Amino acid sequence: MARTNDEARRAWQLLMRFFFRQRGQLPACGDQFGLSPVQCHVLHLLEPDDPMPMSRLAKTLSCDASNVTGLVDRLETRGLVERRPAAGDRRVRVLGLTPTGSRVRGELLRHVSGRPNPLTRLTPDERRALVRILERLLDEQDG
Amino acid sequence: MARTNDEARRAWQLLMRFFFRQRGQLPACGDQFGLSPVQCHVLHLLEPDDPMPMSRLAKTLSCDASNVTGLVDRLETRGLVERRPAAGDRRVRVLGLTPTGSRVRGELLRHVSGRPNPLTRLTPDERRALVRILERLLDEQDG
DNA sequence: TATTGTTATACTCTATAACTATA
DNA sequence: TATAGTTATAGAGTATAACAATA
């Protein structure tokens, strides 16, 4: 049990290190469009034809709802997203991509896919194992 | 090749999602000591009896050197780390843990190890696979 | 000339608390 | 009463540019 937690902590530490090390390459990705890492992530999360309420975005980002206001303000100023009224509950604002936002999102994904990143150096088996493990981690937390 | 990059992008997106989702539990960890997530990470990186130059910390965090100045200022104000002169090069400042910092670091690690986190729910095989993959990713970037 | 670290500046991210509108 | 979102505020993180000290 103690061993399990120690191993989990080790994995967590490695994840943190990997993340911070990768961070240096993230701005280069967003700089092209003048977007911060978080803004890129939001654009990635916001799939076309699948708008999401601001409260859901706050939950997905694990941050306070007040942050989402400013975050969306900045994305809206850039013309990438827009707030829309939600059907049925007039308190709710639903976030959708503008045509420009949809185009930039596509360019962003192509930009990421188009250049090799550290994950491409894993073997196919390793990549599949990593994806499967991450999917399990994300699934288990949904409940 | 295109397939490799798409899979790598998928893995990256999952990593991002996992990271943001986990973020909500990070502050609770640092709140106990009044530390931000980045400050916790620095404390984790700074092993006792293995001081590191500020420039190396900047490189490890993939951030500009000017950020490290403020980051270390705040940790120093809390009495957790201290700047020391480096032997041989008077430009260099080496970061070391104070006795308090060393103690807090220990408590932080015990705090993380002591409570179950999502990674503990992986099977032992999955955890080992994850650790191995992350170690490979980190090793390969050192060169 | 190049490197280490700092300062000044501006912007983004983040949490807390108080608030409005709606449910 | 409870929830969705905003505003105000404060602090932390981040990059850029200019700078001093040292190599």
Side-chain angles (χ1 to χ4, degrees):
Chain A
M1 190 58 67
R3 182 177 184 84
T4 293
N5 281 331
D6 284 347
E7 285 175 4
R9 175 167 64 75
R10 167 81 173 144
W12 180 251
Q13 187 188 34
L14 290 171
L15 272 171
M16 290 287 286
R17 290 191 185 193
F18 179 68
F19 224 78
F20 274 96
R21 199 176 294 191
Q22 275 314 103
R23 199 174 48 166
Q25 298 181 22
L26 275 182
C29 169
D31 274 354
Q32 196 172 355
F33 309 100
L35 299 173
S36 73
V38 177
Q39 288 170 341
C40 286
H41 185 52
V42 169
L43 223 58
H44 202 168
L45 287 170
L46 215 54
E47 301 186 19
D49 308 319
D50 184 22
M52 75 164 76
M54 296 183 68
S55 54
R56 185 145 69 87
L57 182 55
K59 195 180 170 195
T60 302
L61 296 179
S62 307
C63 73
D64 191 85
S66 61
N67 299 325
V68 175
T69 297
L71 186 56
V72 170
D73 281 348
R74 290 182 284 273
L75 287 169
E76 207 168 29
T77 297
R78 286 173 168 79
L80 301 174
V81 309
E82 59 187 8
R83 292 164 161 98
R84 300 168 190 156
D89 190 334
R90 282 194 296 175
R91 294 173 303 179
V92 177
R93 309 279 207 126
V94 165
L95 297 177
L97 290 170
T98 63
T100 300
S102 193
R103 182 176 53 74
V104 169
R105 180 179 186 271
E107 290 174 17
L108 206 56
L109 296 193
R110 273 192 297 281
H111 187 262
V112 175
S113 290
R115 60 189 319 168
N117 66 56
L119 295 169
T120 62
R121 286 180 297 189
L122 295 175
T123 68
D125 277 352
E126 285 171 333
R127 255 196 319 275
R128 273 191 291 274
L130 179 59
V131 166
R132 187 173 49 78
I133 288 169
L134 289 169
E135 282 173 342
R136 262 204 63 191
L137 285 171
L138 287 164
D139 276 349
E140 289 193 357
Q141 289 175 278
D142 280 336
Chain B
M1 188 60 67
R3 181 174 186 85
T4 293
N5 281 331
D6 283 349
E7 285 176 4
R9 176 166 64 76
R10 167 79 173 144
W12 180 251
Q13 187 186 32
L14 290 171
L15 271 170
M16 290 287 286
R17 290 191 187 194
F18 178 68
F19 221 77
F20 274 96
R21 198 175 293 191
Q22 275 312 104
R23 200 173 44 166
Q25 298 182 20
L26 274 182
C29 170
D31 274 355
Q32 196 172 354
F33 310 101
L35 298 174
S36 74
V38 177
Q39 288 170 342
C40 286
H41 185 51
V42 170
L43 223 57
H44 202 168
L45 287 171
L46 216 54
E47 301 186 20
D49 307 320
D50 184 24
M52 77 164 76
M54 296 183 67
S55 56
R56 184 145 69 88
L57 181 56
K59 194 181 170 193
T60 302
L61 296 178
S62 306
C63 74
D64 191 86
S66 60
N67 299 324
V68 176
T69 297
L71 185 57
V72 170
D73 281 349
R74 290 183 283 273
L75 287 170
E76 208 169 27
T77 297
R78 285 173 168 79
L80 301 175
V81 308
E82 59 188 8
R83 292 164 162 98
R84 300 169 190 156
D89 190 333
R90 283 193 295 176
R91 293 173 303 180
V92 177
R93 308 278 208 129
V94 166
L95 298 176
L97 291 170
T98 63
T100 300
S102 192
R103 183 176 53 74
V104 169
R105 180 178 186 272
E107 289 174 18
L108 206 56
L109 296 194
R110 274 192 296 281
H111 186 261
V112 174
S113 290
R115 59 189 318 167
N117 66 57
L119 295 169
T120 62
R121 285 179 299 191
L122 295 175
T123 68
D125 277 350
E126 286 171 332
R127 256 198 318 275
R128 273 191 291 273
L130 179 59
V131 166
R132 188 173 49 78
I133 289 168
L134 289 170
E135 283 173 341
R136 260 203 63 190
L137 285 170
L138 287 164
D139 277 349
E140 288 194 356
Q141 287 176 281
D142 280 336

